[in-house]
Amino acid sequence: MNSTELTAKISKVAEKFGINGINDIETCNIGHINGTFFAQSDKGHLVVQRINHNVFKDPAALMDNIIAVTDHIRKKMENEGASAEEIERSVMRFYPAKDGKYYAIDENGEYWRICKFIEGTCTYNSGSAEMLYQAGLGFGKFQRYLSDFPARELTETIPNFHDTAVRFAHFEETVAADAFNRADACRDLIEKVLSYKDTAKEIVSKLASGEIPYRVTHNDTKINNVLIDVKTGESVCVVDLDTVMPGSLLYDFGDAIRAGASAVPEGSLEFDKFAVREDLYKAFYDGFSLGIGDSITENEKNLLPLSAFMMTYEVGMRFLDDYLSGDTYFHTDYAGQNLDRARGQLALADDIMKKKDILLAIAK
Ligand code: GN1
Ligand code: MG
């Protein structure tokens, strides 16, 4: 789409929300799932997103979740004495469409939503210890605000999202089918994934037995999902709320370590450089535990290093599964990108497993 076509497209979407004067559109290239655009308008700076409804089967329920969660956080902040201005900056604000729904469907059956752009903020794919600390604080606080949210009211936007055992079973089926004849090109990685069969069950079985509690969690805590104030470097707002669902604190901790505490970021082709950095792990842990308050249990604490392994392993397996399935889930920019992503993540997972004891000592 050229820029005139894009302006026409976004303008037409915005109209459904009663928003006019669209200009200055920028395409956001971060994220593997939704389509994201920034635009100026008569209502100010906006984030316009096309919801991937191949991934999110029920966009209406997804938006109900997001509105409920953001309303809840706003109320809690208000009760804690935060100013209206601070709340506006800290919590995502979505615009209703003309029909009152928080999404609109275009002529091609695509789902769109619009929220306010929070000025003076940016995101990082990787960062310094201070940045990791801030990201930890942001995600920790987010979980604390939702600690009394009635989980029953949330729709599971992607069933079994972090059920690593279910994902493992799916992976076995994908390998057996090998529908695109790609398995021979990556036997080493397939064997690696399969070698962790028993480990894959560990966290989900502890959740099922009640050894660790279910909580309302974010479930996609890449550090670029926290907006950072460009002037102060402080965390401002947690974004990408599509997967807020009942889960485990470990999912949020582990995924953030995977994405933020690696020596090289996801997507790097320097496969031998994937390694967990202990300083970044500690920084995230410090921020996260401060943000979440005293509710982290001893069992959860003991499982933090395993969670970092698990989330890295899980996404490595998901990338490889998608590669073997013909690249239908994660957006790719070149052939073989999901295989490359898998290679990096599985190398990182191995490194985390090797350093489990060192990482455990950090949180003690
Ligand atoms: C996807 O939303 P986005 O693109 O940041 C994925 C996450 C993965 C991540 C890997 C809904 O996140 O689970 O960890 O890619 N989101 C969904 O980069 O599947
Ligand atoms: Mg996401």
Side-chain angles (χ1 to χ4, degrees):
M1 220 184 270
N2 66 34
S3 91
T4 317
E5 287 164 348
L6 186 61
T7 306
K9 173 81 227 176
I10 300 292
S11 299
K12 220 164 152 194
V13 168
E15 232 170 71
K16 294 181 188 287
F17 292 78
I19 300 175
N20 299 300
I22 291 292
N23 66 91
D24 251 356
I25 302 176
E26 269 178 80
T27 304
C28 168
N29 293 316
I30 309 171
H32 306 328
I33 308 292
N34 295 321
T36 307
F37 306 89
F38 305 119
Q40 297 289 348
S41 74
D42 65 355
K43 288 243 170 85
H45 205 171
L46 309 173
V47 182
V48 182
Q49 265 191 320
R50 187 182 54 239
I51 304 171
N52 180 333
H53 70 265
N54 177 39
V55 167
F56 298 107
K57 307 288 185 208
D58 187 351
L62 176 144
M63 288 312 297
D64 285 346
N65 275 6
I66 292 181
I67 297 303
V69 162
T70 48
D71 281 349
H72 183 88
I73 297 177
R74 266 191 284 274
K75 268 195 213 103
K76 285 201 81 168
M77 290 188 71
E78 213 176 287
N79 294 342
E80 288 181 6
S83 69
E85 197 191 330
E86 192 187 341
I87 296 173
E88 270 319 291
R89 219 171 135 67
S90 310
V91 193
M92 293 183 88
R93 170 77 75 185
F94 287 85
Y95 291 100
K98 284 177 183 163
D99 62 5
K101 298 187 175 119
Y102 283 90
Y103 62 91
I105 305 173
D106 71 11
E107 62 284 3
N108 305 319
E110 298 283 3
Y111 288 74
W112 294 82
R113 66 179 168 207
I114 300 184
C115 69
K116 223 160 89 178
F117 183 98
I118 301 176
E119 297 299 342
T121 60
C122 64
T123 61
Y124 299 94
N125 294 323
S126 55
S128 61
E130 173 56 21
M131 209 259 115
L132 265 285
Y133 174 82
Q134 287 296 332
L137 194 59
F139 284 127
K141 273 201 232 164
F142 182 82
Q143 252 192 45
R144 182 169 60 78
Y145 286 136
L146 294 178
S147 57
D148 60 347
F149 187 93
R152 246 170 289 106
E153 287 175 17
L154 290 174
T155 302
E156 232 188 315
T157 54
I158 302 181
N160 303 318
F161 189 53
H162 286 315
D163 189 323
T164 321
V166 168
R167 297 230 178 239
F168 187 93
H170 188 272
F171 181 78
E172 283 184 313
E173 284 167 25
T174 300
V175 173
D178 192 17
F180 289 80
N181 289 316
R182 291 180 173 179
D184 278 341
C186 52
R187 284 286 165 211
D188 60 327
L189 291 186
I190 293 174
E191 290 312 319
K192 185 179 289 301
V193 169
L194 296 177
S195 72
Y196 285 113
K197 181 169 187 151
D198 292 335
T199 317
K201 297 181 209 136
E202 279 192 34
I203 289 182
V204 280
S205 64
K206 287 187 164 64
L207 268 170
S209 71
E211 228 174 291
I212 49 174
Y214 276 100
R215 301 167 182 264
V216 174
T217 49
H218 182 283
N219 297 307
D220 187 7
T221 48
K222 281 187 183 174
I223 58 162
N224 63 21
N225 278 333
V226 184
L227 304 184
I228 300 290
D229 188 302
V230 289
K231 283 209 194 105
T232 64
E234 283 168 14
S235 75
V236 175
C237 178
V238 169
V239 300
D240 189 359
L241 308 181
D242 294 334
T243 50
V244 175
M245 292 182 275
S248 163
L249 167 157
L250 297 169
Y251 299 158
D252 284 5
F253 181 83
D255 199 49
I257 295 302
R258 167 191 88 72
S262 170
V264 289
E266 181 196 300
S268 168
L269 301 180
E270 296 184 280
F271 303 123
D272 54 344
K273 294 213 173 120
F274 278 90
V276 60
R277 274 182 49 184
E278 290 148 42
D279 60 329
L280 299 181
Y281 184 99
K282 178 175 184 337
F284 186 85
Y285 172 77
D286 287 345
F288 189 71
S289 48
L290 182 68
I292 204 166
D294 52 14
S295 67
I296 179 164
T297 68
E298 211 45 39
N299 282 343
E300 285 171 322
K301 223 183 226 184
N302 289 332
L303 289 165
L304 292 175
L306 181 68
S307 80
F309 165 82
M310 198 67 85
M311 299 306 293
T312 311
Y313 165 72
E314 182 190 284
V315 86
M317 171 164 67
R318 291 172 62 199
F319 285 141
L320 193 57
D321 194 321
D322 198 30
Y323 171 72
L324 294 169
S325 309
D327 304 306
T328 58
Y329 186 93
F330 295 104
H331 170 82
T332 51
D333 294 317
Y334 64 88
Q337 188 172 17
N338 276 320
L339 178 59
D340 287 342
R341 287 169 175 155
R343 199 171 288 289
Q345 294 304 295
L346 292 169
L348 178 60
D350 269 346
D351 185 69
I352 295 171
M353 195 49 120
K354 258 191 257 148
K355 293 182 185 150
K356 242 172 88 189
D357 293 338
I358 302 171
L359 299 176
L360 189 63
I362 289 175
K364 287 278 177 183

